[in-house]
Amino acid sequence: MTKKINIGGVKIGSGASIKIQSMCTTKTCNLNATVNQISALETAGCDIIRVSVLDEEDARAVKAIKNRIRIPLVADIHFSSRLAVLAIENGADKVRINPGNIGGESEIKLVADCIKAHKIPVRVGANTGSVEKEFLEKYGKNENSLVESALKSVSVLEKFGVNDIVISVKASSVPLTVKAYRLLASRTEYPLHLGVTEAGTEEMAVVKSSAALGALLLDGIGDTLRVSITDDPVKEVIAARRLLRAVGLDENFVNVISCPTCGRCLWNSMELAKKVTAFVENSNKKLKIAVMGCVVNGPGEAKDCDLGIAGAQDYCVIFKNGEIIRKVSAKTAEEEFFKEINALLNDR
């Protein structure tokens, strides 16, 4: 079990639930755009948000942004100890730095002292583009060099008395990401932030992240995660939420199951499955609903569902816990099924 760490009132590690992160794509000092994006991310289910700090305007904007949002804010800083300190002094709940590029020991100590004074955590780590040269030469680009590079950053901060640390070791390769995090988990008790870096545009990014992060989460590895997508960051949060549901780490949702259909399906179950999924997307009620293609196997295969429907050419059957409760015409099936769904959603 990893160490418990507090990020602006949100706890990670030590058995706490997995927290979803994302990162703003706006220029941080563009206050309205940044706050609006954070609000949309929070509505989608984001627990912790990260922003880039590229200059003094961005660092000072942290204070104004914090006054207008409700979730913890992480300041992402590279190459400047001064900006890291300024972001912390303006209220950042956590910082993400790389001690290897922040400056010499005096600059690292300056940031470390500020982190301790404000009692906030810090994330460090490595990805395949920022592995320390000494470890690349020793191991090549693999899980060993990633982990050793990340742990070197940890040791630098520990030297200056910082021990509320979160670590990440990201790669764009799914197998390498999984190997690196498994190795890191065996070497440290600090909380781990999961992610596949440079995962790509939406479809492939979701596939890569699901494969890597799903494997790790099922191993019990990971305390926070980001599904990186080259697109609207709200899509990252939605994908992360679905991932946590798929691996059984979030049970407070309506689980819609549906068969892929076959030649026995004589009605448009695909369309109804899509409509039902969209309808219940934002419900946090623990239910299981089935949309099955045919009456041959439908009720039996969905016996553990709270509610289900299966069809034939001219009629559909609606069932609860595998028992048929009604037979309805194909024309009215959708309307009748949504009546049953609403009844379940509104039943306290």
Side-chain angles (χ1 to χ4, degrees):
M1 188 171 288
T2 55
K3 177 181 178 178
K4 182 179 285 185
I5 286 180
N6 188 326
I7 305 170
V10 171
K11 293 179 175 58
I12 67 167
S14 190
S17 62
I18 309 296
K19 301 304 188 297
I20 297 171
Q21 294 197 34
S22 186
M23 187 170 185
C24 286
T25 58
T26 58
K27 182 77 167 77
T28 302
C29 63
N30 187 338
L31 292 180
N32 287 336
T34 302
V35 169
N36 288 342
Q37 191 169 75
I38 294 172
S39 296
L41 289 164
E42 183 180 1
T43 299
C46 185
D47 298 303
I48 300 165
I49 185 62
R50 183 158 49 112
V51 297
S52 296
V53 175
L54 302 179
D55 50 40
E56 191 170 315
E57 280 187 294
D58 287 344
R60 294 191 186 281
V62 168
K63 184 175 183 179
I65 294 167
K66 282 276 297 173
N67 288 334
R68 295 171 60 183
I69 66 172
R70 292 178 291 180
I71 58 176
L73 185 144
V74 181
D76 190 292
I77 308 107
H78 293 276
F79 308 113
S80 174
S81 59
R82 182 178 61 85
L83 290 179
V85 168
L86 191 58
I88 295 168
E89 289 176 341
N90 275 275
D93 296 299
K94 175 184 165 190
V95 288
R96 193 279 190 249
I97 62 168
N98 182 347
N101 68 28
I102 209 81
E105 284 214 350
S106 60
E107 283 84 4
I108 297 170
K109 184 177 185 302
L110 183 70
V111 178
D113 288 345
C114 192
I115 287 169
K116 290 186 294 180
H118 290 266
K119 295 182 173 60
I120 66 166
V122 56
R123 174 160 75 91
V124 296
N127 60 44
T128 44
S130 66
V131 177
E132 295 278 348
K133 186 178 179 181
E134 63 180 291
F135 299 119
L136 277 177
E137 291 174 350
K138 183 175 181 179
Y139 299 108
K141 189 177 286 188
N142 60 26
E143 66 273 22
N144 294 298
S145 55
L146 272 170
V147 169
E148 292 296 341
S149 189
L151 291 178
K152 180 180 178 181
S153 292
V154 170
S155 67
V156 170
L157 289 172
E158 288 176 331
K159 176 182 176 180
F160 295 113
V162 174
N163 50 37
D164 278 347
I165 301 171
V166 181
I167 315 175
S168 61
V169 281
K170 298 182 180 182
S172 58
S173 159
V174 168
L176 179 52
T177 297
V178 173
K179 288 177 184 177
Y181 275 106
R182 283 176 175 164
L183 178 58
L184 182 61
S186 72
R187 298 276 304 275
T188 185
E189 293 185 352
Y190 285 119
L192 304 184
H193 170 67
L194 305 184
V196 176
T197 192
E198 293 114 27
T201 54
E202 185 176 7
E203 291 187 3
M204 197 60 190
V206 170
V207 171
K208 282 185 173 182
S209 296
S210 297
L213 277 54
L216 292 166
L217 292 168
L218 289 169
D219 281 349
I221 295 170
D223 301 282
T224 71
L225 63 86
R226 179 188 179 192
V227 176
S228 297
I229 302 176
T230 308
D231 210 317
D232 182 344
V234 168
K235 292 183 178 181
E236 298 185 346
V237 175
I238 293 170
R241 199 175 66 208
R242 288 171 176 167
L243 174 56
L244 291 176
R245 290 172 174 179
V247 297
L249 293 173
D250 178 5
E251 297 183 345
N252 295 315
F253 73 105
V254 181
N255 185 11
V256 179
I257 69 166
S258 58
C259 70
T261 80
C262 65
R264 289 194 301 267
C265 183
L266 301 174
W267 67 297
N268 197 353
S269 69
M270 286 187 185
E271 189 63 28
L272 182 58
K274 292 175 184 176
K275 289 180 179 178
V276 171
T277 300
F279 184 72
V280 301
E281 174 73 27
N282 295 316
S283 174
N284 59 5
K285 192 158 190 178
K286 186 179 178 180
L287 293 170
K288 193 172 184 180
I289 295 176
V291 180
M292 308 300 284
C294 72
V295 295
V296 175
N297 296 319
E301 289 182 353
K303 194 175 182 65
D304 63 340
C305 292
D306 299 284
L307 178 67
I309 189 169
Q313 187 166 10
D314 300 318
Y315 70 91
C316 291
V317 293
I318 297 174
F319 52 90
K320 291 183 176 181
N321 304 115
E323 298 295 326
I324 295 173
I325 60 168
R326 276 200 293 153
K327 181 177 177 181
V328 296
S329 72
K331 290 182 179 180
T332 63
E334 181 177 317
E335 179 185 353
E336 294 300 320
F337 193 53
F338 271 102
K339 285 180 183 177
E340 295 290 346
I341 293 171
N342 276 311
L344 280 179
L345 293 177
N346 295 322
D347 181 15
R348 297 187 180 183

